Amino acid sequence: MTMLLRRLLLACTGLAALAAPAAAQPAPQRVLRVAPHADLRTLDPVVASITITRIHGLMVYETLFAWDSRLTPHPQMADRHEVSADGLTHTIGLRDGLRFHDGRPVNARDVVASLGRWMARDTTGGKLREYLASLDVVDDRTIALKLTKPLGMVPFALGSAVGAIPVIMREEDARTDPHTPITSAIGSGPFRFNRGEWRPGARVVYDRNPDYVPRGEPADGLAGGRQVKVDRVEWQIMPDPQTAAAALQTGEIDIWEQPSQDLLPLLSRGRDIRVERYTSLSNQVMLRPNHLHPPFNDPRARLALAHATDQADFLAAGFGDERFWRRCNAYFVCGTVNGTEAGAEAYAVPNLETARRLLSESGYRGEPLVLTTSYDIAPIGRMAEVAAERLKRAGFNVDLQVADWGTVTTRQQNRNPPSQGGYNLFVTYASGATMQSPLTNIGTNMGCERAWAGWPCDAEAERLRNAVVEAADEPARLAAVETLHRHLAQVQPYRVLGQFDQPYARRANISGVLDAPVMLYWNIEKR
């Protein structure tokens, strides 16, 4: 073959290649990259009520009902809810298309087992269980929940997005002891947990569930259609705020879930960055004592905490600029319908003399008190430092012990004495949606073994909480809330340290973040 002929053949081949249709290329994955506020260590959203596990749970699992942005419940997994004429029997049917990630249809037996496990752990679930006569399977897609008294709280409780959430698990998972965390993460929700790519301390991955059938209604908070508009969500663990800020500025991540308050002015100036609130309810900060062991098994020692602390010291250390926080002594969050401060007026200004007297009367004699904390969530670590310093002025001998957040939250469940791996105190915060109601507030549940970490035990508080649940109308309910609050102010299940607004930061090409108690990752678009 001559050189000229070879050149002609090559030219024709090139022209043919240009003329031929290009081979189909796979579409690039739409990956949403997020710096979450903490690392995921516990996969079980019934055992762990911490926010990071709750967000994980809401991605992987679903609930029978779901709260909208106004905390009003709507059917989610349910498509039918009927209440008997006497108000005692709630019959709930499952909607079409519900399948677990392993392919098995969701069955009423899964629902009954899941709700039973949740009721054994959660503040709201425990309250519902007090009025439960039976919880039965009617058929494969229907359950019957029977009460001893008529209650309007059933849909609200079964749609809870706070505390331990009433997610529907496979029956075999839900039969696990409610105090033993399950290690699987197979739900029926819009995302699948990618265990193969899970790297604790580094990365958590969720893939869009291609078999998920969303509801037809528009998304509103946790309610409505959970439309997933990305292929994959990656949580990139970045405990260092400077690293997370730089990653957001360069586009390495799309969302920073809880940006450091001192970096907000810098982020706000970025042309491609938006700083916004994802919920209209303020968060509440608390100093939680362990009621099982001295000195905080005595209410006088707990009252000493209230008199020894100035909320402004904690909030300024944790959240900086005062425009992001406010003093508030309401257990049920200032600015909400339940936000009374009745009975707590004496704690507005610290009184060290009163604190020292009460502490002495409680029998405390200077024993070391373990305050466990972490700097993985920077505001919590900074506020724990303030607690250690301020409480020492009142006569508390505080031993500040720092660990990673996963270790701290695991230790919070340890009922042993502090010398055997337990603790005396910790600082934390919870969403306004969690704390705004006596039904959902995890800290004011004083039901002994059924209570949240710290395990307060007070029969009168529980009687007054029941009065709120059973109130005949709204005026009666609000009066019952005030009576309850006055009692709580005297027994101090925890020291309220005020409240704050936590914005998130996103790249400008991200849209669709919903107003909800926690950050949600459905409905988000990445352009």
Side-chain angles (χ1 to χ4, degrees), residues 141-162:
R141 296 182 57 190
T142 311
I143 68 166
L145 187 152
K146 298 181 181 180
L147 303 171
T148 58
K149 292 182 179 181
L151 295 175
M153 63 175 273
V154 173
F156 181 83
L158 297 183
S160 177
V162 300

Side-chain angles (χ1 to χ4, degrees), residues 96-112:
D96 293 334
L98 296 173
R99 289 187 175 275
F100 288 112
H101 299 156
D102 61 5
R104 184 169 64 77
V106 178
N107 188 286
R109 294 187 303 275
D110 303 306
V111 176
V112 168

Side-chain angles (χ1 to χ4, degrees), residues 32-174:
L32 184 70
R33 295 180 174 88
V34 179
H37 72 278
D39 188 18
L40 178 70
R41 296 299 180 93
T42 305
L43 300 179
D44 190 339
V46 174
V47 167
S49 61
I50 56 175
T51 302
I52 194 67
T53 297
R54 200 165 355 123
I55 296 173
H56 157 83
L58 290 167
M59 295 177 78
V60 173
Y61 300 97
E62 285 198 289
T63 52
L64 291 177
F65 294 81
W67 294 348
D68 66 17
S69 56
R70 296 165 298 283
L71 308 186
T72 302
H74 299 269
Q76 187 55 232
M77 296 178 78
D79 74 345
R80 180 168 56 90
H81 175 218
E82 300 168 353
V83 184
S84 61
D86 61 7
L88 296 179
T89 301
H90 293 252
T91 303
I92 301 170
L94 296 173
R95 67 184 177 92
D96 293 334
L98 296 173
R99 289 187 175 275
F100 288 112
H101 299 156
D102 61 5
R104 184 169 64 77
V106 178
N107 188 286
R109 294 187 303 275
D110 303 306
V111 176
V112 168
S114 296
L115 294 183
R117 187 170 187 263
W118 164 70
M119 288 181 190
R121 287 291 312 211
D122 182 59
T123 294
T124 308
K127 184 55 62 181
L128 180 59
R129 187 171 66 168
E130 292 177 21
Y131 298 89
L132 185 68
S134 64
L135 179 60
D136 301 309
V137 173
V138 175
D139 57 40
D140 281 353
R141 296 182 57 190
T142 311
I143 68 166
L145 187 152
K146 298 181 181 180
L147 303 171
T148 58
K149 292 182 179 181
L151 295 175
M153 63 175 273
V154 173
F156 181 83
L158 297 183
S160 177
V162 300
I165 51 179
V167 298
I168 305 306
M169 301 176 168
R170 300 178 303 178
E171 182 181 13
E172 58 267 35
D173 295 328

